[in-house]
Amino acid sequence: ADGAVTGAIVGFRDIQDEVAARHELAASESRYRGLVDALPDATYVFRAVRDDDGAVVDLTYTHINLAAAVSYQRAPQDMLGQTLLTLFPGLESLGVFDFCTNTLITRQPGYLRVPSFDVNGAKTAFDLTAVPFGDEVLVTARDITAALAAKQALAAAEQQYRLLAENATDIVWQLDADGVLVWVTPSVESVLGWAPEQLVGTDPADLVHPDDRRVLDLRRASAYSGETVVPFELRLRTAGGDYRWISGQSRSTIGADGAVDSVVAGLRDVHDEVSARTALSHALEHDPLTGLATLSVAAARIDQLLDELSRSGRPGRTVGVLCVGVDSLKTVNEALTHTAGDRVMMAIAFRVASIVTNPDLLARGSGDEFIVLLPDLVSGADASVIAEQIRRAVHGTVTIGTHHVEPTVSIGIATGRPGAHGVELVRDAALAMHRAKDNGRDRFEFFQTRLAVEAQHRLSVEDDLRQGLGQGQFVPWFQPVVNLDDGAVIGYEALVRWVRPDGSVVTPDNFIPVAERTSLITELDLAVLRQSVQMLGRLPAPMVVAVNVSAPTLAHADFARWVITELTSSQVDPTRLHVEFTETELLNISERVRGTMGELADFGVRWYVDDFGTGYSSISHLRDLPIAGLKLDLSFTAGIAVGDPRCEQLATALVGLASTLGLDTVAEGVETPEVATVLRAQGWKHAQGWLYGHAEPAAARLPS
């Protein structure tokens, strides 16, 4: 009252997983940046700056290695976040900007020589290489100023000695007109382990990696056709039998007859640089936990398999996709930590790989999923054979410390013929996998077109739900609750209806399932609660209104505050508000929910268990929780209507239980006077159903 602060309310949110993910990402980025910083040449990572039309208008420095900082004599922090054209506007006219942009757009590596650029007042020449790096581009700048200066200074000298001077620490060799080595510098021994005399008189093609022979043939053809300078990058075999990446340039010597009589090539060992680039590329395309290809890579491979099938000339064949979802991984993560969950994922990946022996046909999907590709199936049914093999292979205990996990998987199967798309098949397989989980887990299901239709329908309904909530289209209709002894109306149950702008009314079964899959269910519950409390304020006391609340809303930390605020602002007696939740929800009562129920019960709100008799709740819940009443599930009422003796006996037992505990009782679904008579004789106090009236808008229930 005196304006001084008397306390504080602090909210806490569990961000353990988020922090762990940030630490893992930071460690991964540190490794990659370490690789880049270790490169001897100046290396930069750029991100595109785009205009409103999406065109690249500049490039932002996102990483600069130590060699680059030394080259520009600037602290890295002074360049990070700056743009290329702001710091060095002259690079645009030299083609560097277009060169980097082209790599970003085409996703293809590139090479560019910058013959002269002013760096700290000195004219410097660079050889640039650019490779795509995620949504960025990695550019390596090799300073060739000294090499070019040496070449110019020795322009009058004989070509062999000029090349030797340019590549004093690299390999230089000369081939004759037939492509046979006639001269090799001694540096070949330190790089490749061969003595020069071992190579003279041989064809260097014998040293080239088989996968790079085509590159050699193309570059050799260019050199012997008279092309002045021919760059290349390929792998050469060392004396020890392994291969190293070599980058080089060849120059042709033209004889008096105008034909090429020799070719001189300068070679540089770039194995470490290429390995670093390869490691970065691999990290972008592979899951760090399992080493499997990522989902995007899998989708591209599916498209490739479909294309190959289209060109194979084998009609009727199909490509299969399996989405293998690990069952209950969330439970393992929560009970034994995410590290334990990762170990389970690794074990399952190994077991799936034992069935899918080709690693190119196995990938990591989203979260707890794996993707398996099945090329060239004779029939879609053949995929079920592999799915069953995988399902069985996954079985078997995974031991984590003193705990034993028995993993299972649910598998969705989708197939496609040429003309299909990889991303769509992955989606279809995932839908089928979720259906397998819904149908009991540890099984496989084939994709059906209706699954995609249902998914699209759910998305459409969700969008309409969100818009409808914003426009106040969801309103409670009220069904009477009567006293069974005299039929007097003692209150109403609020049943939500969706009233569209065109006046059409949508019943709950058409939108509640979608709302329950999203946070919209809580917004929906609160909208009904707010209007129901307002209705109470307009109804004469002591009439009551019962409101149903979903499990997510009940578990919300602010639920009690919301209810108390609405009742207080409407000046309604809290005992007139009945909050209902299903018996099934009693199985998952947390300490937070217990606290919420206790707080609202102390305030005066009365709690009712809906659909009682169909769940598996313990009687101790009725003893320990502030429950005021039970509502008999309408399945029992329907059974009584057709003379089912078991339903009558159970209804009698349930009302006896409620009476013993001092609880109010309400029977739902009463449609005939005969059923009402039976229920009244059993001891049920109140009832609702079509016998007493359907749910109608608030205006129809207010006294005239």
Side-chain angles (χ1 to χ4, degrees), residues 287-302:
D287 171 45
L289 175 64
T290 63
L292 297 175
T294 59
L295 186 59
S296 60
V297 174
R301 286 178 180 168
I302 296 171

Side-chain angles (χ1 to χ4, degrees), residues 284-347:
L284 293 171
E285 295 183 351
H286 290 77
D287 171 45
L289 175 64
T290 63
L292 297 175
T294 59
L295 186 59
S296 60
V297 174
R301 286 178 180 168
I302 296 171
D303 290 333
Q304 180 182 355
L305 291 173
L306 289 166
D307 183 60
E308 292 173 356
L309 192 60
S310 175
R311 292 185 279 105
S312 68
R314 294 192 296 275
R317 300 296 182 96
T318 184
V319 170
V321 178
L322 307 183
C323 181
V324 182
V326 180
D327 295 330
S328 303
L329 185 66
K330 181 180 179 182
T331 302
V332 176
N333 288 336
E334 292 176 348
L336 304 178
T337 76
H338 281 75
T339 300
D342 288 346
R343 289 183 59 183
V344 172
M345 287 294 291
M346 286 292 292

Side-chain angles (χ1 to χ4, degrees), residues 13-26 338:
R13 179 166 62 87
D14 184 351
I15 61 169
Q16 176 67 25
D17 293 344
E18 178 182 338
V19 172
R22 290 205 304 265
H23 288 175
E24 182 178 355
L25 177 60
H338 281 75

Side-chain angles (χ1 to χ4, degrees), residues 580-584 586 608-622 627 629-637 650-651 653-658 661 663-668 684:
E580 300 180 359
F581 61 98
T582 65
E583 182 187 5
T584 304
L586 282 174
Y608 279 65
V609 180
D610 199 8
D611 301 335
F612 194 75
T614 60
Y616 304 94
S617 63
S618 170
I619 295 177
S620 64
H621 286 115
L622 303 180
I627 305 298
L630 305 179
K631 300 189 73 173
L632 181 67
D633 185 73
L634 55 82
S635 63
F636 292 97
T637 311
L650 286 170
L654 292 175
V655 75
L657 172 65
L661 295 173
L663 303 178
D664 186 20
T665 55
V666 182
E668 296 183 294
W684 291 91

